[in-house]
Amino acid sequence: MELNIVWFGLVGVLLAGYAVLDGFDLGVGALHLLTKTDTERRITLNSIGPVWDGNEVWLVTAGGALFAAFPDVYATVFSGFYTAFMLLLFVLIFRAVAIEFRSKQENPRWRSAWDVAFSVSSVVIALLMGVALGNIITGIPLNQSKEFTGNFLTLLNPYSLLVGITTVALFMMHGSIYLVLKTEGELQIKIRSWVNNAIIFFVICFVTTTMSTLIYYPSMAAHFKDYPALFLIAVLNMLAIANIPREIHKGSEFRAFLSSSSSIVLLMLLFAVGIFPNIVPSDPSPEYSLTIYNAASSQKTLMIMLIVALIGMPFVVAYTVIIHKVYKGKVRLDESSY
Amino acid sequence: MDTELLSRIQFAFTIAFHYIYPPLSIGLGVLLVVMEGMYLKTKQKIYENITRFWIKVFALIFAMGVATGIVMEFEFGTNWAVYSRFVGDVFGSALAAEGVFAFFLESGFLAILVFGWNKVSPKLHFFSTIMVSFGSMLSAVWIVVANSWQQTPAGYHLQNNGGVFRAEITDFWAMVFNPSSVDRLLHTLSGAWLAGAFLVISVSAFYILKNKHVDFGKKSMKIAIALAVFASLFQLFTGHHSASGISVNQPAKLAAFEGHFETGPAPLYLFGWVNENEQKVNFGIAVPGMLSYLIYGDSQKPVTGLNEFKPEDRPPVNIVFQSYHLMVAIGFALIGISLLSLLLLRKERLFKSGLILKLLVVSVLLPQAANQLGWISAEVGRQPWIVYNLLRTKDAYSKTVSSGEVLFSLILFTLIYALLFVLFLYLLDRKIKHGPEYTDDGDSVYAEQKLIFEKNKQG
């Protein structure tokens, strides 16, 4: 297979890995304020305590891989979406700091201020990520020298906002299932009731987004028309989503979590198939679109990085599995907790 | 102000703020390995307390490093899009390797280092400490490689893509081992070890002065002094090697270090003030021929002067001169302080001398200052190039970003970082004042919360 396609896939894998992993901890953040007492809040916070940092590394590495494999995409999108990315940075900083600082003081006002910072920044991060994906689907105005010619408001179109809200809903559902896995007793009963609401919220958003994509951006469906076998991805995605409430009902939360993880991966796959071989489609001048060919690094670099990835990724998977194994099971607060 | 200048200010500000933390993590990481190793070897409770206290400090510093580090990765693309397109093919491999090899290693094992004391076996915990320390140094490797490539590009060719040039890799290992990367990596790492060592020395000296946690302070300090002596002397060696390399690879930078305008035998200034218009160093004291001697072993050998370069190809001289000389002066001061501490320690007088202990308390600022000044002289000395001799800084910024947008983000960074820094110092101060936990002391808050949790469980 061509290296350009391999790297389109690998950047996709990193982003999907990020969405599955940081997805649940952003979701936990989004739900954080629904818990009331300090102990409950410490439990929700510490459910992601040891893993959130590692989860965020997937984003950092996806950014690095994009820079290395498709420098033109990195340069165009990051400079073009300047203000949006700066906002994203500020909320990422706030979130990291909120998690780290919240429990360092016993003052209730200190704690509730950081609780709000943690929750709001989690929602905003998910929203901005979704808006960014939405803008890739709508396409953005690019010129001959691969530069973005719109402004910040170009990015805030209704369709992209819808994708943003859907992302928030998806992560809330994913995060609530994760929390059920990590808690017990009264708190777990309370969280279980959120899961159902989160699923309903997500399904409404998902159906609306799918309909509007098919109506307004039918080009996203072109490959599915040409290669009907690809429709299987959409079917699998529907089955994965449908399986979530079923497993929750049966009380097998871990399987529900696997289902929601699968649906995130499948959604990313649908998105990738839809835009391929573009990475950033240009609208209104499609000839200036950034593709996996005109935006890529040299074949030599793609090959070197493939070797780096093949050596490194087994380790990455191993660390991820080990960490999640060490910290599996219910949250226990001790003196090293947040 | 224009987009270029604002972007430069923003990058300089954000990288300088970020660079407070990674050197501390790298230095402290090495010490944690020694401390925990001592605990496993001696099984003495005091080493457990030492290790666990410094792990908490490490976690706080590491979090600051992560939070401010993501900014750096984004800023290449947001503010320096032309640069990113130009170097992506070369620089990207190093950045991707950093992510895949170093960041995952660090963050994965950090989870066990910080949260795993009661959850995993002591051996697995020790292994995690080693891996975090190793990972933090590995990330220094890749980022210094990438930066060194900007100073001394190698293993690439220029490719013309429809009138737009970019650097493309031809030899990965030549890129990694470009002429300056090994010298600069070792110089950076020893600066980082000094930062960590003097943090521990400073806090320990504070405890001994206050007559609190005295045993804790003495034992921590002994370990840190050993690292400080090694790192400060090693720093002299790597510094000399770096300067010799610069004389070959970036002669304009070396000439700026010493304010050397006319090619000829070059003196070594102890201090001075460069008058760039008159092309001379005022108020200076210099050892004649010393620079020539240090580089070539011959005080009469000519060193290339700044006048060999077109005015538009010269870096700003005085700021490079001053930052470089201050860094060197601090470097020697650190050698002096480290050796003096070692000497007094061996004569068993170190912990009795209030004056020396006070000096050690404030000495934590010295490696921080030297690290910042060293980077200023390295990066300002590279100007006007962003990639030496290939791409000028003034051509490399993002054309689509307006100066208003950068001004907005710069103001926000200033506010947020000021807030962060205050919080960081406050929490660090509280941690230090609180001191180490002695494991047999109960902690009421946690005990109470555990109790609530147990009830919760039964309910």
Side-chain angles (χ1 to χ4, degrees):
Chain A
M1 207 192 312
E2 268 183 89
L3 283 168
N4 299 59
I5 300 177
V6 171
W7 272 100
F8 180 73
L10 282 176
V11 172
V13 167
L14 286 169
L15 284 174
Y18 172 72
V20 168
L21 291 169
D22 214 32
F24 73 72
D25 73 51
L26 290 170
V28 167
L31 298 166
H32 184 66
L33 291 179
L34 295 177
T35 48
K36 294 298 176 214
T37 68
D38 185 54
T39 305
E40 286 181 352
R41 286 189 175 177
R42 288 194 65 214
I43 291 169
T44 57
L45 184 63
N46 280 289
S47 73
I48 62 165
V51 295
W52 71 272
D53 182 32
N55 295 345
E56 216 167 276
V57 170
W58 286 78
L59 176 67
V60 174
T61 305
L66 193 66
F67 188 2
F70 303 105
D72 280 314
V73 173
Y74 171 76
T76 301
V77 173
F78 279 57
S79 63
F81 295 9
Y82 186 87
T83 303
F85 271 98
M86 287 296 148
L87 288 178
L88 180 61
L89 275 180
F90 296 136
V91 281
L92 281 170
I93 294 175
F94 259 107
R95 184 165 182 275
V97 171
I99 294 172
E100 197 60 37
F101 286 178
R102 181 207 176 269
S103 299
K104 296 274 189 307
Q105 284 278 32
E106 278 164 43
N107 182 337
R109 283 171 66 187
W110 166 282
R111 288 194 169 180
S112 61
W114 288 119
D115 282 334
V116 172
F118 171 52
S119 196
V120 170
S121 56
S122 301
V123 173
V124 175
I125 292 167
L127 186 73
L128 285 173
M129 301 269 176
V131 170
L133 285 189
N135 275 289
I136 301 293
I137 296 174
T138 63
I140 57 173
L142 296 178
N143 67 16
Q144 201 168 3
S145 33
K146 301 174 177 171
E147 300 278 21
F148 176 64
T149 57
N151 58 43
F152 184 49
L153 294 177
T154 317
L155 307 177
L156 294 179
N157 51 75
Y159 175 80
S160 300
L161 286 171
L162 176 64
V163 178
I165 293 167
T166 307
T167 310
V168 175
L170 174 64
F171 288 172
M172 279 175 130
M173 172 181 80
H174 194 46
S176 65
I177 300 168
Y178 177 79
L179 272 179
V180 174
L181 279 173
K182 303 300 285 185
T183 53
E184 51 197 340
E186 279 169 35
L187 182 59
Q188 194 192 37
I189 293 167
K190 186 152 61 169
I191 291 168
R192 222 181 268 274
S193 70
W194 305 345
V195 175
N196 288 322
N197 294 339
I199 293 173
I200 293 167
F201 180 34
F202 169 68
V203 169
I204 293 170
C205 290
F206 171 69
V207 171
T208 318
T209 306
T210 308
M211 282 192 327
S212 45
T213 308
L214 294 175
I215 296 168
Y216 299 107
Y217 304 99
S219 63
M220 285 295 284
H223 289 308
F224 297 91
K225 257 185 214 159
D226 298 344
Y227 305 94
L230 289 173
F231 193 72
L232 206 60
I233 304 171
V235 174
L236 281 175
N237 183 42
M238 295 307 282
L239 290 176
I241 293 172
N243 193 44
I244 298 168
R246 180 170 160 265
E247 299 290 357
I248 290 286
H249 191 69
K250 289 200 310 198
S252 21
E253 283 86 12
F254 186 66
R255 288 186 175 187
F257 185 71
L258 288 182
S259 289
S260 74
S261 302
S262 318
S263 73
I264 292 174
V265 172
L266 290 164
L267 281 167
M268 285 297 289
L269 193 58
L270 286 171
F271 169 77
V273 171
I275 61 169
F276 184 85
N278 289 328
I279 306 178
V280 186
S282 171
D283 179 76
S285 315
E287 67 274 22
Y288 300 143
S289 296
L290 298 178
T291 69
I292 62 169
Y293 301 107
N294 71 9
S297 281
S298 64
Q299 295 296 306
K300 174 121 186 153
T301 287
L302 296 180
M303 193 63 201
I304 293 168
M305 293 203 330
L306 184 61
I307 296 168
V308 168
L310 288 177
I311 299 172
M313 285 317 273
F315 286 100
V316 171
V317 172
Y319 307 146
T320 310
V321 171
I322 290 172
I323 297 312
H324 284 265
K325 273 214 155 127
V326 168
Y327 294 101
K328 75 165 194 249
K330 310 299 180 189
V331 180
R332 290 277 177 274
L333 298 177
D334 66 17
E335 72 275 8
S336 59
S337 301
Y338 283 121
Chain B
M1 280 198 273
D2 55 18
T3 308
E4 183 212 342
L5 183 60
L6 285 165
S7 289
R8 287 180 68 177
I9 294 172
Q10 179 171 301
F11 200 88
F13 174 63
T14 49
I15 190 76
F17 188 70
H18 174 61
Y19 202 65
I20 296 170
Y21 310 101
L24 285 172
S25 326
I26 291 173
L28 200 50
V30 171
L31 290 171
L32 281 176
V33 171
V34 179
M35 290 163 176
E36 193 168 352
M38 300 279 281
Y39 169 56
L40 288 185
K41 195 162 165 249
T42 66
K43 299 272 188 291
Q44 286 179 30
K45 209 78 185 161
I46 182 76
Y47 284 112
E48 181 187 352
N49 299 334
I50 287 176
T51 310
R52 297 185 69 175
F53 175 78
W54 289 110
I55 285 174
K56 284 191 172 179
V57 175
F58 183 89
L60 177 63
I61 292 168
F62 197 91
M64 292 290 289
V66 172
T68 54
I70 292 183
V71 175
M72 305 322 304
E73 194 203 29
F74 277 48
E75 268 182 338
F76 296 122
T78 51
N79 293 69
W80 304 96
V82 177
Y83 161 86
S84 299
R85 291 182 214 275
F86 182 80
V87 301
D89 198 272
V90 175
F91 197 97
S93 313
L95 210 66
E98 176 164 16
V100 170
F101 292 134
F103 287 163
F104 279 112
L105 184 72
E106 279 179 276
S107 66
F109 286 103
L110 183 78
I112 298 182
L113 175 68
V114 176
F115 300 99
W117 195 272
N118 301 324
K119 292 200 175 69
V120 299
S121 70
K123 278 198 181 133
L124 178 56
H125 193 273
F126 184 49
F127 179 72
S128 308
T129 311
I130 294 172
M131 285 297 116
V132 170
S133 173
F134 175 66
S136 65
M137 288 194 265
L138 202 58
S139 58
V141 171
W142 292 106
I143 203 70
V144 173
V145 161
N147 182 275
S148 296
W149 187 85
Q150 280 177 259
Q151 312 275 352
T152 53
Y156 72 98
H157 72 121
L158 286 184
Q159 176 74 31
N160 184 349
N161 290 335
V164 180
F165 283 88
R166 73 173 184 188
E168 286 191 358
I169 212 162
T170 53
D171 182 342
F172 179 71
W173 294 110
M175 183 278 286
V176 172
F177 292 103
N178 66 67
S180 65
S181 53
V182 174
D183 283 338
R184 298 177 79 247
L185 174 66
L186 294 177
H187 199 56
T188 307
L189 282 179
S190 32
W193 295 332
L194 283 169
F198 275 90
L199 176 69
V200 174
I201 289 174
S202 165
V203 174
S204 306
F206 173 77
Y207 286 151
I208 298 167
L209 265 177
K210 295 273 163 193
N211 208 16
K212 283 195 303 192
H213 318 297
V214 175
D215 191 29
F216 172 94
K218 285 181 178 173
K219 288 204 162 65
S220 295
M221 199 197 279
K222 280 183 193 162
I223 296 172
I225 285 175
L227 180 64
V229 169
F230 167 73
S232 62
L233 290 172
F234 188 57
Q235 192 65 296
L236 187 64
F237 167 76
T238 61
H240 172 67
H241 238 262
S242 288
S244 304
I246 291 168
S247 74
V248 179
N249 302 314
Q250 294 176 291
K253 188 196 272 188
L254 185 78
F257 281 172
E258 287 298 337
H260 185 57
F261 288 91
E262 286 300 330
T263 302
L268 189 77
Y269 279 93
L270 296 178
F271 55 85
W273 192 265
V274 185
N275 184 328
E276 293 180 41
N277 294 327
E278 292 178 20
Q279 301 208 336
K280 62 177 192 182
V281 180
N282 295 327
F283 319 113
I285 289 187
V287 186
M290 192 62 185
L291 183 64
S292 297
Y293 179 76
L294 281 175
I295 293 167
Y296 302 112
D298 175 357
S299 63
Q300 293 309 309
K301 268 240 171 153
V303 173
T304 312
L306 282 163
N307 288 344
E308 303 296 318
F309 301 90
K310 283 184 263 172
E312 68 268 26
D313 291 349
R314 293 177 203 163
V317 186
N318 196 36
I319 177 173
V320 177
F321 181 100
Q322 298 304 341
S323 55
Y324 177 74
H325 280 81
L326 264 170
M327 173 193 77
V328 173
I330 294 173
F332 278 101
L334 287 170
I335 294 177
I337 294 173
S338 305
L339 289 177
L340 180 70
S341 306
L342 182 67
L343 189 76
L344 292 175
L345 188 66
R346 301 204 66 171
K347 294 196 165 178
E348 299 190 349
R349 276 167 45 197
L350 180 62
F351 302 131
K352 292 169 199 149
S353 163
L355 194 68
I356 296 290
L357 288 173
K358 276 179 194 153
L359 173 72
L360 291 181
V361 171
V362 293
S363 69
V364 64
L365 297 173
L366 292 177
Q368 288 293 338
N371 286 337
Q372 297 284 349
L373 290 163
W375 276 107
I376 291 171
S377 55
E379 301 301 281
V380 180
R382 191 195 59 227
Q383 302 301 328
W385 306 99
I386 194 164
V387 181
Y388 197 64
N389 280 342
L390 293 180
L391 182 67
R392 285 174 193 274
T393 311
K394 70 177 167 62
D395 298 326
Y397 67 92
S398 300
K399 300 292 180 296
T400 52
V401 179
S402 71
S403 57
E405 286 176 295
V406 187
L407 188 63
F408 168 75
S409 59
L410 180 57
I411 291 171
L412 272 176
F413 271 122
T414 312
L415 293 174
I416 291 174
Y417 280 9
L419 175 72
L420 274 189
F421 194 58
V422 170
L423 282 170
F424 169 72
L425 289 181
Y426 172 72
L427 289 173
L428 188 64
D429 180 65
R430 244 177 53 103
K431 230 170 221 160
I432 292 168
K433 295 238 169 82
H434 182 264
E437 310 254 352
Y438 296 98
T439 36
D440 25 285
D441 291 3
D443 192 328
S444 58
V445 183
Y446 292 110
E448 184 198 350
Q449 271 166 343
K450 264 183 205 159
L451 207 69
I452 299 170
F453 191 78
E454 288 302 314
K455 271 192 220 152
N456 191 5
K457 190 171 142 188
Q458 286 150 15

